[in-house]
Amino acid sequence: MAVKRKTAKKAPAKKKAPAKKKTAAKKTAAKKAPAVMTLKHLAAELADKHDIPKKQSEEFLGDFIELIGKNLKKGQKIRIPSLGILQVRKRAARMGRNPATGETIRIKASKKVAFRVAKDLKERVL
């Protein structure tokens, strides 16, 4: 009589995932725009669009921002068509409350920069 032997069952072989093929379309696909546009990103786009060096466009934007700051400090409104209006607003002194202790405190007067969006820009975005 033949004796049956118990043999260990082999685990099924794991299937290998098919290798991902890099297509030419993926390689040449344009880079995604960053989540946050910085001054350097804006300067790079301007430089590409107007065929000027990136450094020159960065200097231009830097000077533009500096000029805005100087004029706001003087108290002038800055109106940029299709973008909006920048101006300094004065905040009056007021009474506030410390949330940790509940104690009332005096908040002194201050200034802030306010921006009002132009109707044209609002319509483009929304």
Side-chain angles (χ1 to χ4, degrees), residues 93-110:
R94 63 193 189 281
M95 296 303 288
R97 187 174 299 273
N98 182 342
T101 62
E103 172 187 356
T104 57
I105 56 173
R106 188 177 193 312
I107 301 170
K108 59 184 176 181
S110 63

Side-chain angles (χ1 to χ4, degrees), residues 49-63:
K49 187 174 181 179
H50 296 286
D51 296 326
I52 59 172
K54 286 182 185 178
K55 187 165 186 155
Q56 187 179 358
S57 64
E58 284 179 24
E59 286 177 15
F60 175 78
L61 286 174
D63 291 345

